[in-house]
Amino acid sequence: MLPRLWLSPLVLLLTAQVWAAEPPPLQPQLAGATDQIIVKLRPTAQRSMMFSAETQVEAAIANVGLGIPASYERSMGGNAHVVQLPGTMSVQEAQDYATLLRTDPDVEYAEPDQLMFPTADITPNDPQFLSQWHYGSANADGGAANLPAAWGEVTNAPEIVVAVVDTGVLDHPDLSARLLGGQAATSGYDFVNTPARANDGDGRDNNPSDPGDWISATDAADSAFSGCSVRNSSWHGTHVAGTVGAVSNNAEGVAGVAWNAKILMARGMGKCGGYLSDISDAIRWSSGETINGVPNPNPAKVINLSLGGSGSCGSTYQNAIDAATARGAAVVVAAGNSNQNVSTHRPANCNNVIAVTALARTGGKASFSNTGEGVDIAAPGVSILSTLNGGKTTPTDQHTYAAYHGTSMATPHVSGVIALMLAANPHLRDGSIPASEIPALLEQKLKASARLFVTGTGNDCSTALCGAGALDAYRAVMSVKTPPLAQAGANQNVSMGAGVTLQGTGTAGGYGGNIRQYHWQQTAGVPVALSNNTAANPTFVAPATADTLAFRLTVTNDVGLTATSVTNVTVGATPISTSVCDPAVLNNAETLTGQWAAGCASQHRGSGFHARYYRFTLAMAATVKFDLKSSKQDAYLYLLAGDQTTSSVLASNDDSNGTTDSQLVRNLPAGTYVLEATTYAAGRAGEFTISATLATAPTTQNSCDPSAVALGATTNGQWETCAARKRGSTYFAGYYRFTLTQAATVTIDLKSDQQDTFLYLLNGSSADSSVLASNDDSNGSTNSQIKRTLAAGTYTLEATTYYRQKTGAFSVTVK
C-alpha cells in the first residue's frame, strides 16, 4: 500500500468581531510621473548681482537644449527654483533631464519634482478583520505578517493563480468569487482516486468540492481508515483557501492575504488523509502538467501544501516538486505540528520547497511547530481566523468563520504573500526571467526580507529553529518592487587619444537584491569601441578629434527592474599648463622631481606655505603608496578626494617612519586624485621627489566586523574599504557595537572634519540587524547624532557617509 499522509492536528476556536468600515485611501495614479524639475544655482555673488535667478535658470535650460521647451515656473525656499516641463514625463525621463541640467557649471543640483501621496497602508472594511491579528503590524503583535502596508503597494494588480492542494473547497459568500470558475464545483480537479476516501461517490473527477472528511465510529473500525479517530469534518481546504485569498474589502466577514489571487483547487485528500500518489499528481497538474489526459488551462504560480506525513522525502514527492518548480511554480509546504525536527516530516524535508513553521501572536514559536535547519521561514499559525462551513459532517448552508492553529495555517500566509510579490513586479510574470529560476528567486527574496525574530516570548524562535526570520509582507513586496540605482559617474574632460574609464556603479535595491546586468550605450559623439559594454567600468580610447561623447548606463537588478543614468566625456586637445599650480600627471611606478618656490601657495596647509600639485588616476580599486621626500625641507603630503587642487582632504602625513619625509598608503576606489606636496614650515623652498606605487596588498585591513565601543569613550575610525550594508554597497562604513546592561537614554555622535556623515542605529549585534533610527546633519552641521531611549541589550552602529565612495577619518562617541 502507498504511504498515507495525515493532516496536521487542528484546534478549533470560533471568533467574531464587528468593525466599522473605513474608505480606501487615495491611490497614487501619478506616482511614476512628473511635469516639473527643481533646480538650485551655485551661490556666486558677482553673477547674482549681474543676472536674475530666473535668467540664470533659463540659461541653464537653453544650454541643455534637447528640443525640450522647459520654462521657469517660480522660486522656492532654500534658493531653489521650479522648472516647468512641457508635459508629463516618467520620473526616469525627468531624472535624465535633471542629470543633464547638472552638467551646467552654474547648477548646484537638479532633481525631479516628484509627486507624493498619503501613506499607502490599506485597512480593509471586512467586519472581522480586527480579529485577524495575524495580518497586522509587528509593532502590535510580534508574530503578525505586516499586510496592510503590503496591500497599499499592490493595487490594481493582475490575478495570480494559487493552487491549494487539500481536502477540497466549499462555496462561501466570502470566498467563492476568488475561486477559479466562481464556485467550488468548477474551481479545479479532484485527484482522490479511491471512492471510499473521496467520500463523494466516485474517484477522480472535475469537481473538487469538499464532501467532508469526518470519521464515524464505523469508519474507525474499518481497516481502510485504521489509525484515524472519530471526529467531525475539518473543512480544512476551505479554511486554507480563505487565508490565501478570501474576498477582501467587501464589508463582509474576513480578509485574505492576496486580494489579487485566483484560487485553483486540487483536491488530494479526503477521509483520513490522502495518498502520496494522488497528492503528487495534484502538484504536477497544478503547475500545468497534463495528468491522465486531464489538462490544466490555468497553471498556478504558487502551490500551497498544508499537509504532510512522516518519513524522508522520497522520489515521488521530489520528482513532482522538481517538475512544478521547473515550470515556475513556487511550492510552499507546512513544516508539521509534531514539535519535532522538520527533517522527519515530508514534503517539508524535500528540496526546492519553502518550508513554513508557525509563530504565536507574541512572535515566539508555536508550541506544536516542527523546527530545524530545514525550515525556511516562520509565519502566523495560532488562532488564524478564516472561512469555514457550519456542518459537522456534511456541508450545510451555514457559512461560518473559525480560528484554527497549525503550520497548515501559517503556510497559506506565505503562499498569499508570494502571490502579492508576483503581482507587484511584471518581470516575474512576463518571461523576461526564465520560469525555472523564479521559485528560487522568490524564496531568496522572501527570506532576505524576513524580520528578525522577537525575543523574550518565553519560547523564542531563532534562525536555527524557525528559518530566516518572521514573514513580513511589506518587506517581501518591496524586495521585488524596489528599482535599482544607477550612477554613470561624473562628467570627464580628457585629451585626444587618452585612455578613458567610465565610472559606473549600481545599487540593486530591495532586500537581498543583486545586480543582474550593467549595460552601456553611447548616445552621442564620435563612435568609440567600449572594452565591455556589460561591465560597470568599461574602457575606451578617446578619438583623435575634439567632441563630446554621451553615454547611458542601464542597471538591471535580479527581479528585472532597471534604472538609467547618463554621463558625458568631453574630448579636447591636451592643455598646456600656464601655472605652476596646475597639477602635473603622476603615473604608477613613476618618480617626479619638483621644486618648492614662490608662485604656488598651498590650498590646505595655508597661503604662507609653498606647494606643488600632482594628479593620479586609478582605473580600478587598489592600494597605493605615495612617497614625498626631500633632503632640503621637512615634507608634508596631502591626498585630495577629487581632481582639483581645492578638493577635500582624504588623508595627510608628516614625518613618516621617524623621518622628515612623508608617506601615505591608502586603499582607494577607481577615480582621479590630487596630491598636494608642501612643507612643514612656512616660506621654505627646495627640491623634492614624489612617487606613486601600487602596493601588492593593503598595509592595513579595514574589517567590516563590528568593534566594541566603550560607553563614554570616543573611538576613531577610517573609511576605506568596508561597504555599507544599510546605506548601500557604494558607500564606505565602519561598524561599532555597544551593550546596555539596563534601559538608558543614549546619545551617539558621529563626527568627521573630512566628510558629510550619516549614522544608523541597528537593533542587534549584527551589521545586518534592522534599523532603529538614522540621522544626517544634526544641528545644522555635517556631523550626525542620534539620541534614543533604549532597552537593555546589544546594539550596532553603522557609521557611514552622505556621499558615495567618500573616504576619510571619523570619530564615534556613545554616552
Side-chain angles (χ1 to χ4, degrees):
M1 176 179 287
L2 288 170
R4 185 178 297 156
L5 303 180
W6 310 92
L7 292 176
S8 304
L10 303 172
V11 179
L12 182 63
L13 174 66
L14 292 171
T15 61
Q17 183 170 348
V18 177
W19 179 68
E22 176 181 319
L26 174 69
Q27 297 304 315
Q29 299 296 326
L30 297 175
T34 185
D35 60 355
Q36 296 183 159
I37 298 283
I38 298 172
V39 178
K40 183 178 180 181
L41 298 171
R42 297 187 186 279
T44 306
Q46 182 177 0
R47 186 176 65 238
S48 298
M49 293 171 59
M50 296 174 60
F51 303 104
S52 68
E54 180 176 350
T55 300
Q56 294 171 58
V57 172
E58 289 176 340
I61 295 170
N63 288 340
V64 172
L66 297 181
I68 299 176
S71 59
Y72 183 87
E73 176 67 18
R74 62 179 175 85
S75 63
M76 55 182 291
N79 297 318
H81 306 271
V82 177
V83 171
Q84 181 68 53
L85 297 171
T88 299
M89 294 182 176
S90 71
V91 170
Q92 186 60 63
E93 291 171 335
Q95 180 64 63
D96 288 347
Y97 186 72
T99 299
L100 292 172
L101 275 175
R102 289 198 297 272
T103 64
D104 190 290
D106 290 341
V107 173
E108 180 175 322
Y109 72 76
E111 62 182 358
D113 190 8
Q114 194 166 352
L115 292 162
M116 306 293 165
F117 297 90
T119 301
D121 288 21
I122 295 180
T123 303
N125 58 18
D126 305 271
Q128 297 193 54
F129 172 71
L130 288 186
S131 295
Q132 294 179 288
W133 70 267
H134 37 103
Y135 291 166
S137 167
N139 294 329
D141 295 296
N146 198 21
L147 275 155
W151 290 329
E153 294 291 337
V154 190
T155 55
N156 301 317
E159 294 176 333
I160 304 298
V161 177
V162 178
V164 176
V165 179
D166 217 291
T167 63
V169 70
L170 291 174
D171 286 313
H172 192 292
D174 210 13
L175 176 62
S176 294
R178 303 310 306 162
L179 299 176
L180 276 168
Q183 58 181 334
T186 59
S187 63
Y189 199 82
D190 178 3
F191 284 92
V192 182
N193 191 67
T194 307
R197 195 169 304 280
N199 200 31
D200 58 1
D202 58 17
R204 295 186 174 187
D205 57 41
N206 61 2
N207 182 353
S209 297
D210 187 352
D213 58 358
W214 80 94
I215 299 294
S216 66
T218 301
D219 293 330
D222 189 329
S223 60
F225 302 119
S226 61
C228 287
S229 58
V230 175
R231 66 180 181 89
N232 292 330
S233 291
S234 66
W235 315 122
H236 190 268
T238 301
H239 195 281
V240 169
T243 299
V244 171
V247 182
S248 305
N249 210 33
N250 63 337
E252 181 173 350
V254 296
V257 172
W259 297 8
N260 58 308
K262 271 295 186 182
I263 298 171
L264 172 70
M265 291 304 303
R267 186 172 182 238
M269 295 182 293
K271 293 171 73 76
C272 202
Y275 284 110
L276 169 60
S277 56
D278 292 343
I279 293 169
S280 64
D281 276 355
I283 293 170
R284 289 175 174 274
W285 181 84
S286 294
S287 69
E289 182 176 336
T290 297
I291 300 296
N292 295 336
V294 179
N296 176 9
N298 300 291
K301 298 293 186 183
V302 190
I303 301 174
N304 188 97
L305 300 175
S306 290
L307 52 82
S310 61
S312 59
C313 175
S315 298
T316 302
Y317 253 147
Q318 193 62 66
N319 291 342
I321 290 165
D322 290 347
T325 55
R327 294 187 182 91
V331 181
V332 188
V333 184
N337 299 344
S338 306
N339 193 27
Q340 296 176 353
N341 193 291
V342 71
S343 62
T344 65
H345 188 84
R346 61 175 174 164
N349 57 10
C350 294
N351 297 325
N352 298 327
V353 301
I354 301 172
V356 185
T357 196
L359 292 175
R361 187 166 186 168
T362 61
K365 184 186 88 71
S367 60
F368 50 79
S369 299
N370 286 352
T371 55
E373 292 183 358
V375 172
D376 293 300
I377 197 166
V382 175
S383 296
I384 306 304
L385 185 63
S386 185
T387 50
L388 214 69
N389 188 274
K392 291 186 177 181
T393 54
T394 57
T396 70
D397 291 333
Q398 183 183 5
H399 305 297
T400 62
Y401 303 90
Y404 278 1
H405 304 334
T407 56
S408 283
M409 284 55 258
T411 304
H413 284 80
V414 174
S415 296
V417 168
I418 292 176
L420 293 176
M421 295 166 72
L422 288 163
N425 184 339
H427 300 292
L428 297 172
R429 312 183 305 270
D430 63 9
S432 58
I433 301 173
S436 60
E437 296 179 11
I438 289 177
L441 178 61
L442 290 169
E443 179 180 349
Q444 185 262 327
K445 294 292 183 182
L446 193 74
K447 292 162 76 168
S449 62
R451 295 192 313 272
L452 293 175
F453 293 117
V454 297
T455 57
T457 65
N459 196 17
D460 291 351
C461 266
S462 67
T463 53
L465 291 174
C466 305
L471 176 68
D472 190 300
Y474 173 74
R475 289 161 59 105
V477 166
M478 296 312 294
S479 74
V480 299
K481 188 179 179 182
T482 305
L485 174 67
Q487 290 288 346
N491 294 336
Q492 300 182 56
N493 295 296
V494 301
S495 303
M496 298 177 190
V500 183
T501 301
L502 296 175
Q503 303 296 333
T505 58
T507 302
Y511 298 92
N514 294 292
I515 294 174
R516 194 180 187 99
Q517 183 184 61
Y518 293 93
H519 181 76
W520 286 94
Q521 180 184 13
Q522 184 177 358
T523 58
V526 176
V528 297
L530 295 178
S531 60
N532 183 354
N533 71 342
T534 60
N537 306 121
T539 61
F540 66 92
V541 176
T545 56
D547 200 357
T548 296
L549 317 180
F551 299 89
R552 179 187 296 273
L553 170 64
T554 301
V555 173
T556 305
N557 66 10
D558 52 1
V559 290
L561 300 175
T562 62
T564 63
S565 180
V566 296
T567 190
N568 292 335
V569 177
T570 301
V571 182
T574 303
I576 299 174
S577 176
T578 58
S579 168
V580 294
C581 270
D582 290 342
V585 174
L586 176 64
N587 295 311
N588 174 46
E590 183 177 35
T591 299
L592 299 180
T593 300
Q595 177 81 32
W596 286 306
C600 182
S602 169
Q603 296 282 350
H604 297 89
R605 185 86 180 128
S607 58
F609 298 81
H610 301 315
R612 289 293 183 269
Y613 292 93
Y614 299 86
R615 184 175 285 122
F616 182 84
T617 300
L618 275 176
M620 62 184 65
T623 300
V624 189
K625 180 174 70 173
F626 300 103
D627 280 297
L628 175 63
K629 299 180 179 180
S630 176
S631 60
K632 305 290 186 182
Q633 300 298 339
D634 190 349
Y636 204 107
L637 181 62
Y638 290 92
L639 173 64
L640 311 181
D643 61 358
Q644 303 297 315
T645 61
T646 55
S647 298
S648 60
V649 175
L650 269 179
S652 62
N653 179 255
D654 171 47
D655 298 349
S656 65
N657 302 319
T659 70
T660 57
D661 298 328
S662 296
Q663 182 186 87
L664 287 169
V665 179
R666 188 80 177 212
N667 189 285
L668 298 171
T672 299
Y673 302 87
V674 168
L675 297 167
E676 181 180 297
T678 183
T679 58
Y680 184 80
R684 297 299 177 91
E687 294 181 349
F688 63 88
T689 63
I690 188 167
S691 64
T693 309
L694 295 186
T696 56
T699 299
T700 59
Q701 297 294 330
N702 183 19
S703 174
C704 283
D705 294 334
S707 57
V709 56
L711 298 178
T714 297
T715 299
N716 295 318
Q718 181 79 35
W719 288 304
E720 288 184 323
T721 58
C722 181
R725 302 290 183 86
K726 305 302 179 183
R727 186 83 176 130
S729 60
T730 56
Y731 298 82
F732 296 126
Y735 291 93
Y736 299 89
R737 182 185 294 128
F738 67 91
T739 300
L740 295 177
T741 57
Q742 60 186 24
T745 299
V746 176
T747 301
I748 305 158
D749 286 294
L750 172 62
K751 296 181 179 180
S752 175
D753 59 2
Q754 297 180 4
Q755 299 302 339
D756 190 349
T757 64
F758 205 106
L759 179 63
Y760 291 90
L761 172 63
L762 311 181
N763 186 26
S765 60
S766 166
D768 293 314
S769 301
S770 59
V771 176
L772 271 178
S774 62
N775 179 258
D776 170 46
D777 298 351
S778 63
N779 302 319
S781 70
T782 57
N783 298 321
S784 299
Q785 183 184 87
I786 292 174
K787 187 173 184 180
R788 184 93 175 207
T789 299
L790 299 173
T794 299
Y795 300 88
T796 299
L797 304 173
E798 180 179 294
T800 182
T801 58
Y802 185 78
Y803 294 107
R804 301 157 63 89
Q805 296 181 326
K806 295 293 186 179
T807 58
F810 62 90
S811 66
V812 174
T813 306
V814 181
K815 56 186 177 182

